[in-house]
Amino acid sequence: MTGRRHQIRLHFAYQGHPILFDRLYAGPQGAALDRLGAQLGADADAPAIRLHARSLSWTPRPGASPIEIIAPTPPAFAL
């Protein structure tokens, strides 16, 4: 909605933790990450980068009970 479609990818790369197979923001680390992913058996030609939140939690308002969502890693993301 804000137009910041790639923001998380940019922040991860800036902090030195680019996303596997993210050729747009991985910079010089991208080729090394691609080689590492290939060694681990990841598919470099996958249709999407590997980004998955195993769990998310937040407190909707002060004093409310926290909400937690847990999602198993999709089989296609396994290395």
Side-chain angles (χ1 to χ4, degrees):
M1 293 176 71
T2 65
R4 297 182 183 128
R5 296 180 6 209
H6 301 198
Q7 188 171 15
I8 193 165
R9 295 165 60 194
L10 182 60
H11 283 287
F12 273 40
Y14 178 78
Q15 294 294 325
H17 303 287
I19 299 167
L20 189 61
F21 302 127
D22 184 356
R23 292 184 178 95
L24 181 60
Y25 293 109
Q29 297 178 46
L33 282 172
D34 286 355
R35 285 192 301 276
L36 174 61
Q39 288 173 357
L40 295 173
D43 181 5
D45 295 322
I49 58 174
R50 305 311 203 268
L51 180 60
H52 172 72
R54 183 179 56 86
S55 67
L56 298 170
S57 62
W58 70 94
T59 303
R61 62 184 180 280
S65 297
I67 297 172
E68 182 174 26
I69 298 172
I70 299 173
T73 303
F77 281 27
L79 293 178

